[in-house]
Amino acid sequence: MRDLLDYRSEFPILEHTTYLASHTLGPMPRQAAERLADFVGMWAERGIRSWAEGWWASPMRVGDQIGRIVGGPPGSTVMQQNVAIAEAIALSCFRPVDPSRNRIVYERANFPSVRYLYQAQPDLEVVVCDDDEEIVERIDERTLLVPISHVLFKESEIQDVEPIVRRAHEVGAGVILDCYQSAGIVPLDVTALGVDFAVGGSVKWLCGGPANGWLYVRPDLGETLEPTYTGWQAHERPFAFEPEMEYASGAARFLTGTPNPAAHMAGTAGYDLIEEIGVERIRENSLRQTQLLVDLADAAGFDVYSTRDPARRGGAVIVSVPEAAAVYAELEARGILGDFRPGAGIRLGPHFFTTDDELRFAMQQIGEIVETGAFERHLGAATLH
């Protein structure tokens, strides 16, 4: 078993940057460039044969790797471009929407992209709740779907999912679990949780890069539901080019058009590392380092926006300081990368390759920036990523 800090050599950006941004964009593994080169080589040398030699099956093959990380059995998880598309595909299974069951019970603190999707549907009623307890109270027989975040992006707080799933299933509603801020940093078993769908992406803790969203479908639903947001890869015999749809079995029926094998091949470099280390081991280290960040923030007199309960803490700690946007802009100018979110503060996300000294350095620099007023040259700074 390799020491966690031995993995620093896998990430080129760590050679010149204090990288605390895996909650927003995990650093590129060195192997990702080699796998993109493999894609280019296949395209150059194998041409059209590349589809049969791995490209076409990449959404299912790579989806199975994601499934292993989040607890989905083989054939239950497929790659999508992003979470908005994945949720749109899941929603399309229930078209036309029954007017007597058209409510989406939604948490205000979810990532807003998904809210935009549901609010754009004229036949849906979006019921917005303030927390996971209110979600349980508002679910009733009029509820169609409950999109819930496993870890909230601003608070980095783990949600209590089990009561939501239990209540939704009591009234015949479905649950879509957004695992974007948990997969790869918080142990997760979608099978044990019993969710109907799970979605996520690879931009963050999985270090898999963009265009690598994914969709898990509970296996029994993967044999019965029929998405209306579909395409030729969802067909049982796509290369027969038949005029009528016959859905493939399992989660493959939730695919759409031609896949993105370049992104899939690059993404496996990060997934391989997560599987090699193990999420349980990553979580143990994360809890220790996020507690260190909380302690450092307390010692500096800064407010901590995120939860102090380690059992509910995700992978990031959010530090609230005056003029946080400007403070973060100066922090980034000094080569310390995290991010800033309005209404929260500076988000710092250590991962398995982070050293304790980097955390101490980052907090020391925040203190110096605040104390000296070095942030003032960035007043009015806007969030750019």
Side-chain angles (χ1 to χ4, degrees):
M1 183 181 293
R2 295 170 62 182
D3 185 86
L4 289 180
L5 296 185
D6 286 347
Y7 288 95
R8 291 181 64 83
S9 62
E10 304 285 351
F11 299 95
I13 199 171
L14 301 184
E15 297 171 7
H16 53 83
T17 301
T18 300
Y19 204 85
L20 302 175
S22 293
H23 57 280
T24 184
L25 176 61
M28 187 197 80
R30 195 176 302 276
Q31 286 288 323
E34 297 181 16
R35 296 185 190 184
L36 281 171
D38 290 341
F39 168 80
V40 171
M42 288 183 71
W43 190 7
E45 301 297 332
R46 301 302 296 164
I48 191 174
R49 294 169 293 189
S50 299
W51 290 114
E53 294 172 0
W55 285 8
W56 185 259
S58 65
M60 291 76 79
R61 183 181 66 254
V62 179
D64 279 344
Q65 185 171 23
I66 295 291
R68 292 195 297 270
I69 294 171
V70 303
S76 65
T77 309
V78 291
M79 305 304 291
Q80 304 287 350
Q81 178 156 337
N82 54 50
V83 161
I85 290 175
E87 295 224 16
I89 294 168
L91 173 61
S92 79
C93 297
F94 304 98
R95 298 258 180 226
V97 173
D98 181 350
S100 67
R101 188 183 284 277
N102 70 340
R103 288 189 171 180
I104 305 297
V105 179
Y106 189 88
E107 186 168 12
R108 191 181 308 278
N110 286 348
F111 194 74
S113 179
V114 177
R115 183 171 178 174
Y116 305 154
L117 167 68
Y118 291 108
Q119 289 182 160
Q121 313 305 313
D123 51 357
L124 296 180
E125 177 187 349
V126 179
V127 179
V128 181
C129 304
D130 286 327
D131 55 36
D132 47 3
E133 292 182 0
E134 186 183 353
I135 288 175
V136 175
E137 296 172 2
R138 300 293 295 275
I139 294 172
D140 59 21
E141 287 77 7
R142 295 166 293 178
T143 304
L144 175 63
L145 291 171
V146 183
I148 178 71
S149 293
H150 189 213
V151 174
L152 297 172
F153 80 104
K154 276 191 179 180
E155 292 87 346
S156 190
E157 182 173 351
I158 300 171
Q159 299 290 278
D160 192 2
V161 174
E162 292 183 13
I164 294 172
V165 176
R166 184 166 56 250
R167 175 58 181 156
H169 288 174
E170 284 175 357
V171 299
V175 175
I176 305 179
L177 185 66
D178 185 337
C179 307
Y180 221 136
Q181 283 287 355
S182 57
I185 192 73
V186 175
L188 168 66
D189 188 331
V190 293
T191 299
L193 287 173
V195 295
D196 304 275
F197 305 93
V199 298
S202 310
V203 170
K204 306 183 190 300
W205 304 104
L206 292 171
C207 300
N212 274 320
W214 52 269
L215 169 65
Y216 159 83
V217 183
R218 205 176 72 210
D220 60 309
L221 298 178
E223 300 300 333
T224 57
L225 293 179
E226 296 185 348
T228 56
Y229 184 161
T230 190
W232 73 307
Q233 201 175 31
H235 199 286
E236 180 67 24
R237 295 171 299 277
F239 289 99
F241 305 106
E242 298 172 7
E244 303 297 332
M245 170 60 84
E246 180 178 334
Y247 288 100
S249 60
R253 67 173 55 196
F254 291 79
L255 294 170
T256 56
T258 304
N260 187 349
H264 302 161
M265 291 171 70
T268 59
Y271 314 149
D272 287 351
L273 293 173
I274 299 298
E275 283 201 282
E276 180 180 322
I277 299 166
V279 179
E280 293 283 353
R281 187 181 178 203
I282 292 171
R283 174 65 171 168
E284 180 181 2
N285 185 68
S286 173
L287 284 173
R288 183 185 64 78
Q289 290 196 316
T290 51
Q291 185 61 54
L292 174 58
L293 278 172
V294 170
D295 294 343
L296 291 168
D298 286 343
F302 299 140
D303 291 333
V304 175
Y305 181 83
S306 46
T307 178
R308 291 175 176 272
D309 180 0
R312 296 279 299 232
R313 186 188 304 140
V317 171
I318 296 86
V319 180
S320 181
V321 298
E323 301 293 347
V327 171
Y328 176 72
E330 176 63 21
L331 202 66
E332 186 170 302
R334 299 183 182 194
I336 303 169
L337 301 184
D339 69 358
F340 163 77
R341 288 295 178 263
I346 298 171
R347 298 194 303 175
L348 302 173
H351 212 348
F352 57 88
F353 45 72
T354 305
T355 70
D356 290 358
D357 283 344
E358 286 178 304
L359 302 182
R360 297 186 183 98
F361 175 66
M363 291 302 299
Q364 182 271 329
Q365 288 292 296
I366 293 173
E368 180 185 309
I369 291 167
V370 171
E371 183 177 352
T372 63
F375 64 88
E376 292 178 358
R377 66 189 180 115
H378 303 287
L379 290 174
T383 302
L384 299 177
H385 49 67

